[in-house]
Amino acid sequence: MSERHERSEQRERSERSERTTGHREILIVDDEPALLRTLRINLSARQYAVRTAATGGEALDRAAHSLPDAVLLDLGLPDLDGMDVLRGLRTRSAMPIIVLSGRADAADKVGALDAGADDYLTKPFLMDELLARLRAVLRRPTGAAPPVRPVLGDHTVDLAATTVTGPNGAVRLTPTEWRILALLLANPGRLVPGRQILREVWGPAQEARGNYLRVYLAGLRRKLERDPARPRHLITEPGIGYRYEP
């Protein structure tokens, strides 16, 4: 048996052992051995079951064999275009996918989000930030309807009755604020591209009007956040989009 084959079998035994514990399974797809090792150590220390793939083909094979609970995906892979791998994974499941990439251009980020990524983190990144974003996407109930009465800080939102109740009573939202808020609340922990919000709220012809969103999100924060200048629940990802953090 070759040394490489033996290492592969050892990794498979380790991953099978991890999966029997009932921990959340994370598939890491990256061709950088040092980063794979660092991510495995940090995730395993936090009781995640970790699987790894160094190529796009290996990632698709692993996901086809056993769907993970979430995927950390690098776009710069040696065999396949990372965007094709992203689309292939997305056709299999609604599992959360966080892209980890050295591509910092806003167009790359928006393209990945439009292709089905739940979040996008530019390398190099802080491990604490990655772990926080991973926890956020794993909190999102995959394939389930959003809660009818989500909580946003001190406020309870009744989506069916279109009412918001805070410590001082009812809070009035405009129809446009309601449409934006409902879209964010339907994707807890997930980054929603600004273009998607503009398209769904104002129509396809308004996808470039990012100033619309900045004005309305500022208004929502004044009404719903404890500290609008340091929002805890309605988060901006500059140049990309917005997210609702429960």
Side-chain angles (χ1 to χ4, degrees):
M1 180 183 297
S2 70
E3 182 180 351
R4 180 178 179 181
H5 183 66
E6 184 176 354
R7 286 200 304 268
S8 177
E9 285 206 344
Q10 288 174 346
R11 185 180 67 179
E12 290 285 350
R13 287 195 296 270
S14 173
E15 291 173 354
R16 283 197 298 270
S17 176
E18 285 177 327
R19 290 198 292 273
T20 63
T21 66
H23 297 159
R24 308 296 289 272
E25 298 176 18
I26 311 300
L27 173 61
I28 309 170
V29 187
D30 201 299
D31 65 338
E32 297 180 39
L35 180 58
L36 280 178
R37 184 168 56 252
T38 298
L39 290 173
R40 172 186 282 280
I41 291 171
N42 279 273
L43 292 173
S44 298
R46 289 160 178 83
Q47 306 305 307
Y48 291 106
V50 179
R51 291 188 283 160
T52 62
T55 67
E58 186 180 1
L60 294 172
D61 287 344
R62 283 179 169 269
H65 181 263
S66 176
L67 283 175
D69 291 296
V71 178
L72 305 180
L73 172 66
D74 179 32
L75 294 183
L77 298 171
D79 58 335
L80 300 174
D81 185 281
M83 293 293 286
D84 291 335
V85 177
L86 170 58
R87 295 185 187 98
L89 291 169
R90 180 52 71 226
T91 62
R92 287 170 165 78
S93 169
M95 61 192 170
I97 300 174
I98 299 178
V99 167
L100 308 177
S101 177
R103 305 175 189 176
D105 188 78
D108 290 319
K109 297 178 182 180
V110 171
L113 293 166
D114 284 344
D118 294 88
D119 207 343
Y120 192 110
L121 200 55
T122 303
K123 297 178 180 178
F125 51 82
L126 295 175
M127 187 60 63
D128 285 345
E129 181 179 5
L130 170 61
L131 293 169
R133 295 193 183 203
L134 179 60
R135 290 192 298 270
V137 296
L138 287 172
R139 285 197 298 267
R140 179 168 56 87
T142 303
V148 177
R149 295 173 64 87
V151 174
L152 199 159
D154 298 325
H155 298 80
T156 299
V157 183
D158 190 326
L159 294 172
T162 61
T163 61
V164 178
T165 306
N168 300 317
V171 177
R172 180 183 178 277
L173 300 184
T174 69
T176 299
E177 287 174 335
W178 263 114
R179 289 195 291 271
I180 295 171
L181 183 62
L183 182 56
L184 294 175
L185 292 178
N187 296 276
R190 182 176 184 178
L191 182 58
V192 182
R195 291 196 312 177
Q196 178 184 341
I197 302 174
L198 288 162
R199 183 171 61 247
E200 295 193 23
V201 175
W202 283 280
Q206 306 300 325
E207 287 188 12
R209 299 295 184 92
N211 57 308
Y212 286 8
L213 285 180
R214 287 191 290 272
V215 171
Y216 279 96
L217 262 294
L220 283 169
R221 290 183 182 122
R222 284 195 298 271
K223 295 177 180 181
L224 303 177
E225 292 276 8
R226 292 179 183 175
D227 185 352
R230 298 177 178 82
R232 163 65 181 83
H233 303 284
L234 301 176
I235 308 299
T236 298
E237 292 290 344
I240 311 173
Y242 301 86
R243 80 173 80 238
Y244 158 60
E245 289 290 355

